[in-house]
Amino acid sequence: MTATAATPSPLPGARALPARLASLDAYRGFVMFLLLAEVLRLCEVAAARPASALWAFLCHHQSHVEWVGASLHDLIQPSFSFLVGAALPFSLAARSVSGQPRARMIAHALWRAAVLVALGIWLRSVGRPQTYFTFEDTLTQIGLGYPFLFLLALRPVRDQWIALAAILVAYWAAFAAYPLPPSGFDYAAVGVPPDWPHRLDGFAAHWNKNSNLAWAFDVWFLNLFPRERPFAFNGGGYATLSFIPTLGTMILGLLAGGVLRGPRPPSARVRWLVAAGLIALASGWALDGIGLCPLVKRIWTPSFTLWSGGGCFLLLAAFYAVIDVLGHRRGAFPLVVIGMNSIAAYCMTELWPRFIQESLKTHLGESVFHIFGDAYVPLLLGAAGLLVIWLILLWMYQRRILLRI
């Protein structure tokens, strides 16, 4: 992982680099902004204003759903993964033009994957007495799938479609074939309250929280590593094996990136992305609606892969159409600042918010954040901290300090 002097997306009014799409940086910046905006703590404001439908709505979309379904917040990780795939055709083209041999490119991909996994584990271990080996967070999930994605990027588009279909069907079949827990299974022992309202029945029970194939794998796999205590379950139901359908999400991004680099005119690219988005969204909803595969982000079911991939296609279409086709780049600049340094932004949101907010209270005093009443203190304090992080990213952007892996 290095801090490089790579050329950022052009400032408004400057000539754009032909090999880089500002829409990809802006979309990535939008995703990272949603992640950084967790510091706004909208659910705390909603709790203080229980009669407000607006704050309840905003809270819902800044939270992960408990199990089946999705919110805007549930699109953050899929978008980040999708954009890894979308950027890869451009990266490959640049490396090929520079004359890098394929073996060197593959070696770099393996190095990048290892660093992503290591960085994810390191961030999750901060504040713990020993290394916390976990593989379900965004960086480790991308790292585990990235070597396979890179190899697929070297293959024809037909092979990429075949790989996507094989991943989704095989992952669905593996869950469906895994035996249901026996009668009297102690759900409380795996972190699921007996009266938990989100438990599924019938065929859909194969995808229940902490009693599915991915949970069983982690009970074996994670206990191969040194731990403070034996692993029994993940409190959120997240799982290591989700990197497999996450690879499916990255392949969808790879296909989108191929379209953006392809010979189609810009308007046809937008139409393709919109059509792919609508088809994927409808497919994910349909698989959930007919009971064949519930739509669950926490274990990244194939229906969620399709649904979230559809959302990513549509968001990319919107950013591409507005920024790169219509040329409205100036308004995207605040997002580009974040998107060009997404790894740095990710590390900041994991490490700095509490320190920054405590520093703000120390130097500005707490009373300034009570100007609109106690209910809005979390929002104002979070907004101030978010502004500080953005200004740091702007400082890095202006000096071309970009954290790369």
Side-chain angles (χ1 to χ4, degrees):
M1 184 167 60
T2 58
T4 71
T7 303
S9 288
L11 291 165
R15 189 166 63 90
L17 290 172
R20 192 173 192 103
L21 292 179
S23 55
L24 290 178
D25 291 323
Y27 180 15
R28 191 181 300 108
F30 171 71
V31 172
M32 293 309 303
F33 172 78
L34 292 178
L35 185 62
L36 289 165
E38 288 180 351
V39 298
L40 300 179
R41 290 144 63 186
L42 300 180
C43 288
E44 291 187 29
V45 180
R49 292 285 182 265
S52 172
L54 172 62
W55 287 110
F57 174 82
L58 293 175
C59 171
H60 171 73
H61 285 287
Q62 201 182 52
S63 309
H64 295 301
V65 299
E66 286 290 329
W67 201 245
V68 175
S71 67
L72 177 62
H73 210 61
D74 290 309
L75 277 178
I76 293 176
Q77 187 174 349
S79 291
F80 203 59
S81 304
F82 180 92
L83 285 165
V84 170
L88 187 51
F90 296 89
S91 174
L92 272 176
R95 290 178 180 276
S96 296
V97 169
S98 69
Q100 282 193 18
R102 179 168 294 193
R104 183 179 173 185
M105 289 192 286
I106 293 174
H108 178 266
L110 294 173
W111 166 252
R112 188 183 192 199
V115 171
L116 285 169
V117 172
L119 180 58
I121 293 173
W122 179 78
L123 288 172
R124 288 300 184 94
S125 301
V126 172
R128 294 178 177 270
Q130 67 179 72
T131 303
Y132 181 60
F133 288 98
T134 182
F135 301 89
E136 91 289 344
D137 68 285
T138 301
L139 296 184
T140 54
Q141 290 279 290
I142 292 173
L144 290 172
Y146 189 75
F148 304 102
L149 177 74
F150 192 88
L151 292 175
L152 281 170
L154 301 175
R155 302 294 303 163
V157 173
R158 180 196 62 182
D159 293 355
Q160 297 167 12
W161 282 109
I162 291 173
L164 174 65
I167 286 169
L168 297 183
V169 172
Y171 199 70
W172 173 86
F175 269 71
Y178 184 76
L180 293 174
S183 177
F185 179 77
D186 186 3
Y187 281 97
V190 293
V192 182
D195 58 347
W196 196 54
H198 306 285
R199 208 161 76 194
L200 303 170
D201 299 315
F203 181 69
H206 287 278
W207 289 270
N208 263 330
K209 181 179 179 180
N210 292 340
S211 58
N212 55 64
L213 171 67
W215 161 78
F217 175 84
D218 273 349
V219 170
W220 166 74
F221 177 66
L222 294 180
N223 283 311
L224 298 177
F225 298 91
R227 313 192 71 81
E228 297 174 54
R229 62 184 63 86
F231 177 86
F233 62 89
N234 179 285
Y238 301 102
T240 301
L241 286 183
S242 292
F243 87 88
I244 298 173
T246 296
L247 173 58
T249 302
M250 292 194 287
I251 294 173
L252 290 173
L254 179 64
L255 293 165
V259 169
L260 292 179
R261 280 206 72 251
R264 292 178 176 87
S267 60
R269 296 172 188 169
V270 174
R271 289 195 298 271
W272 191 97
L273 291 171
V274 170
L278 294 175
I279 292 170
L281 271 175
S283 300
W285 266 325
L287 289 173
D288 177 75
I290 64 178
L292 190 62
C293 181
L295 199 154
V296 183
K297 185 265 181 189
R298 293 172 185 257
I299 50 173
W300 219 284
T301 56
S303 56
F304 177 78
T305 303
L306 292 171
W307 180 87
S308 61
C312 294
F313 277 127
L314 294 177
L315 284 169
L316 179 57
F319 277 98
Y320 177 70
V322 171
I323 297 172
D324 287 312
V325 178
L326 299 179
H328 299 303
R329 294 171 178 252
R330 188 175 299 273
F333 177 68
L335 297 178
V336 171
V337 168
I338 304 173
M340 285 291 294
N341 237 337
S342 57
I343 294 295
Y346 187 92
C347 292
M348 289 177 190
T349 195
E350 291 286 330
L351 298 172
W352 289 5
R354 183 176 178 181
F355 166 75
I356 290 174
Q357 291 180 15
E358 290 300 318
S359 297
L360 289 170
K361 288 192 291 185
T362 296
H363 297 290
L364 299 180
E366 295 194 35
S367 60
V368 67
F369 299 106
H370 289 262
I371 187 171
F372 297 121
D374 293 349
Y376 299 101
V377 170
L379 176 64
L380 293 180
L381 186 58
L386 181 56
L387 176 60
V388 170
I389 289 178
W390 187 84
L391 290 173
I392 293 171
L393 291 170
L394 175 63
W395 179 86
M396 296 175 69
Y397 178 93
Q398 291 173 332
R399 286 155 181 79
R400 300 181 181 181
I401 302 172
L402 306 177
L403 201 59
R404 300 297 193 197
I405 296 177

